[in-house]
Every structure is written in structure tokens, then in C-alpha cells.
Amino acid sequence: MNIILFGPQGSGKGTQARLLSDQCGFFYFESGAYLRRIAENNPDLRKMLDDGILVPDIEMTSYLTAFFDEKGLYDNILFDGFPRSIEQYNFLKKWLSEKQVKIDLGIVLEISEEETVKRLMLRKREDDTQEAIKKRLELYHARTEPLINEVQKDSKIVRVDGERSVEDIQNDLVKIIENAKNWS
């Protein structure tokens, strides 16, 4: 079973994904951490990330396929931060189909804009100014809502209230995944 986890920054995607990986045995692919590792030896990518520029689709998909082909891993993956565009999703869908697997489920962790700002301001990172957060939220909504709609054409999408306790969200996610195994 392959799952895409959606949600704005601060929605708890990383926390929930790590817990799901531990509890359900998924391979957790967090694109941001993966790109930061590659950027350690790639000055052009490092500059892109430092400047807050999204990695072009063709470049991102080539990194992804090289990584998963090297590991021979195509199923039981929890994707966080990829795909970020409809083009990336269409590529992923085709590529997985060639491996005779698919995206089985999309989970959207929903939190209000106010909660996003509150959570991110508590991190006290340099790039987490209110203005920067608002811009990232606008980009998230502009790119991700159409992406979620596209994924919904092929897979089940479940929306989860991300403003509850970590434990309550985790319990719901485990139940959703267990139910999804029966849908497939």
C-alpha cells in the first residue's frame, strides 16, 4: 500500500508519518530531508533550497526514481512532500504502474491558517516569519488543492482534523489505513 500524506507546514505530517512508519511498517519518504541530503554535495540544489525555490519537476522525479530504483522499493511507501504538483503526480502514477503498484490512499491533515501560523511561529526558525508563512500557505493552497483533486480521481482521499492531539490523530490514521487495506 502506497500513501501520500498532504497538509500545510505545521500540520503534523512529519510526526504522524514517523509514527505510522513505526507502527505500520511503511517506508517513510520525506522529500525535504531527502533533498537536503542530496544538497550537501550539490551546490546548485543547495542554492535552490536556500532560496526557497521548488525543485523543478523533472529534476525532482529523477532524484526520486534513482533513489527508489537503487533500493528496489516500490510499495509500502508513505510519501510526504512528494508529489507537489500534478505533473509530479502523473509521473509517479505512471512510474508506479510500471512497477505494478499504485497510490492507494491520500490523507489530508487539515489545520486552519491561524493554527499553521501559531505552530510555525513557535518553531522560532529564521524563515518562519508571518509573511513567509502566509506566502508558503498561498503556494500550498494554489498547488496542493488541485493536486488532491487529481489524486482523488484515482485513489481514496481521506481528510483528517489535524488540530487534535497527536495520539487522537494517530489512532484515526491507523484505523483509516486498516480500512483502506480492505478497500484495495
Side-chain angles (χ1 to χ4, degrees), residues 46-109:
R46 185 176 321 126
K47 177 159 179 32
M48 235 186 286
L49 296 178
D50 288 346
D51 292 345
I53 297 169
L54 290 178
V55 176
D57 291 338
I58 190 95
E59 189 172 344
M60 185 64 205
T61 55
S62 71
Y63 291 141
L64 176 112
T65 55
F67 175 79
F68 285 112
D69 282 341
E70 181 180 305
K71 291 190 171 297
L73 181 62
Y74 309 108
D75 201 10
N76 210 30
I77 304 168
L78 182 59
F79 293 93
D80 173 7
F82 184 87
R84 287 191 185 254
S85 68
I86 291 173
E87 293 77 16
Q88 288 180 4
Y89 171 66
N90 286 331
F91 173 86
L92 179 63
K93 181 171 65 168
K94 181 178 183 286
W95 183 72
L96 287 174
S97 174
E98 292 168 2
K99 311 300 182 194
Q100 299 179 344
V101 293
K102 62 183 172 116
I103 297 298
D104 299 283
L105 178 64
I107 298 173
V108 184
L109 292 178

Side-chain angles (χ1 to χ4, degrees), residues 6-181:
F6 297 102
Q9 289 182 315
S11 63
K13 291 186 312 287
T15 299
Q16 293 299 335
R18 282 186 287 284
L19 291 169
L20 284 173
S21 294
D22 291 344
Q23 192 165 352
C24 300
F26 287 102
F27 178 85
Y28 174 38
F29 180 75
E30 199 273 306
S31 65
Y34 176 65
L35 288 172
R36 287 188 292 278
R37 279 195 307 275
I38 294 173
E40 291 172 6
N41 299 311
N42 182 327
D44 293 334
L45 179 59
R46 185 176 321 126
K47 177 159 179 32
M48 235 186 286
L49 296 178
D50 288 346
D51 292 345
I53 297 169
L54 290 178
V55 176
D57 291 338
I58 190 95
E59 189 172 344
M60 185 64 205
T61 55
S62 71
Y63 291 141
L64 176 112
T65 55
F67 175 79
F68 285 112
D69 282 341
E70 181 180 305
K71 291 190 171 297
L73 181 62
Y74 309 108
D75 201 10
N76 210 30
I77 304 168
L78 182 59
F79 293 93
D80 173 7
F82 184 87
R84 287 191 185 254
S85 68
I86 291 173
E87 293 77 16
Q88 288 180 4
Y89 171 66
N90 286 331
F91 173 86
L92 179 63
K93 181 171 65 168
K94 181 178 183 286
W95 183 72
L96 287 174
S97 174
E98 292 168 2
K99 311 300 182 194
Q100 299 179 344
V101 293
K102 62 183 172 116
I103 297 298
D104 299 283
L105 178 64
I107 298 173
V108 184
L109 292 178
E110 296 184 321
I111 64 172
S112 66
E113 190 168 309
E114 296 76 24
E115 185 66 16
T116 299
V117 172
K118 183 177 107 182
R119 290 180 182 185
L120 295 182
M121 294 302 290
L122 289 173
R123 294 193 315 194
K124 298 188 183 339
R125 281 187 4 195
E126 268 184 48
D127 62 336
D128 282 340
T129 64
Q130 281 197 339
E131 184 177 312
I133 293 167
K134 296 247 186 217
K135 283 183 183 175
R136 290 195 305 259
L137 277 171
E138 287 171 11
L139 183 61
Y140 170 80
H141 291 299
R143 292 189 83 174
T144 306
E145 286 303 322
L147 173 59
I148 292 168
N149 292 335
E150 190 67 23
V151 173
Q152 194 164 13
K153 293 176 184 176
D154 304 308
S155 306
K156 178 100 172 144
I157 296 286
V158 179
R159 294 178 184 270
V160 175
D161 177 0
E163 293 191 23
R164 298 169 299 141
S165 73
V166 170
E167 295 78 18
D168 286 346
I169 296 167
Q170 183 64 196
N171 289 336
D172 281 357
L173 294 179
V174 169
K175 288 176 192 166
I176 289 165
I177 290 167
E178 288 303 318
N179 287 334
K181 287 177 182 176

